[in-house]
Amino acid sequence: MTSPSVDSPQPTRKALVVRGGWQGHQPVTITDLFLPFLRSRGFVVETADTLEVYEDAALLAATDLVVQCWTMGEITPQQSESLSAAVRAGTGLAGWHGGIVDSFRGDLGYQLLTGGQFLMHPPEFRDYEVRLAPEYTDHPVTAGLGDFRVRTEQYWLATDPLNDTLATTVFAAGDERERPVDMPVVWTRTWGAGRVFVSAIGHKPDDFNVAEIRMITERGLLWASR
């Protein structure tokens, strides 16, 4: 597979990787998978293990991309509003799985920023197909890719209709639901001058051994960046 021009080296930019919260999602181990990639694409990378970093408006304004992997936890109103304001002003925000859509469940402003909220997943890992949206075949995040399969958690989400949904999965009809449901898996959105990228896949490190997931995530980071 070859990546489109979004993967080409860029002038030096700044990425801030904010990681913590519930340790079951291995925030350090998994974000570490992407630090060499970001550096190879011209980013100076800083990591933070506290949400207090979101209180530093000057730092956020100087940051081109925030990569967040922080499952559950609590964010203060000041931190949430500061992050939202930075993205609205042009800072990019990107993340995957519970590190971005199972964060700060009590903060509605944060959920409006990301465009989605985790609600549940069926027990255990599942084999399922991820289908790329035909109307976005030329999107820089998914261009040139095809449908693929994964074995991991399958997220049921509440999502914003303003999202550009790039990929979906099907929850089959059964005891829990009377008909099949198409569920978003990957989306992008804008928030003022900023861009937001979200992928629901990334519970465990080997999820990113799937070539399509690794490529979609890397492209999503670049797409979201200022």
Side-chain angles (χ1 to χ4, degrees):
M1 298 177 185
T2 58
S3 298
S5 58
V6 71
D7 278 346
S8 59
Q10 301 290 328
T12 299
R13 290 175 287 180
K14 180 178 180 63
L16 173 64
V17 179
V18 183
R19 52 196 190 177
W22 182 63
Q23 293 300 301
H25 283 155
Q26 303 179 63
V28 172
T29 298
I30 295 183
T31 54
D32 275 351
L33 297 176
F34 294 95
L35 302 190
F37 169 78
L38 288 169
R39 292 178 178 124
S40 75
R41 294 304 187 270
F43 285 89
V44 174
V45 180
E46 178 179 345
T47 62
D49 60 4
T50 172
L51 297 176
E52 292 178 2
V53 72
Y54 288 156
E55 299 171 14
D56 190 336
L59 173 64
L60 293 180
T63 296
D64 299 293
L65 174 66
V66 173
V67 181
Q68 181 183 283
C69 189
W70 196 291
T71 304
M72 296 185 278
E74 295 184 4
I75 193 170
T76 69
Q78 178 188 357
Q79 291 164 354
S80 178
E81 291 164 10
S82 178
L83 174 62
S84 179
V87 177
R88 192 174 289 282
T91 298
L93 175 64
W96 50 83
H97 200 61
I100 194 164
V101 289
D102 190 13
S103 314
F104 325 132
R105 295 175 182 175
D107 192 293
L108 295 178
Y110 174 80
Q111 294 170 30
L112 287 170
L113 169 63
T114 59
Q117 173 63 51
F118 164 77
L119 298 180
M120 71 89 179
H121 63 76
E124 308 302 333
F125 300 145
R126 288 189 165 193
D127 291 300
Y128 62 91
E129 184 178 36
V130 177
R131 301 176 178 177
L132 302 189
E135 63 269 35
Y136 291 108
T137 55
D138 60 348
H139 194 286
V141 172
T142 53
L145 302 181
D147 300 345
F148 59 94
R149 299 192 66 82
V150 295
R151 179 175 176 79
T152 189
E153 289 180 341
Q154 189 178 30
Y155 263 15
W156 184 280
L157 299 148
T159 57
D160 191 323
L162 288 174
N163 294 343
D164 292 328
T165 300
L166 307 184
T168 62
T169 185
V170 174
F171 278 79
D175 293 340
E176 302 88 355
R177 60 198 69 85
E178 63 183 16
R179 64 180 185 273
V181 174
D182 283 330
M183 184 62 59
V185 175
V186 178
W187 68 82
T188 56
R189 60 190 279 110
T190 57
W191 188 253
R195 293 176 166 185
V196 178
F197 163 80
V198 174
S199 169
I201 299 174
H203 175 81
K204 48 192 172 58
D206 67 8
D207 287 354
F208 299 99
N209 291 344
V210 178
E212 291 88 348
I213 287 300
R214 182 70 181 232
M215 188 169 290
I216 284 170
T217 306
E218 290 178 345
R219 291 178 177 182
L221 300 180
L222 298 182
W223 180 88
S225 179
R226 181 173 12 226

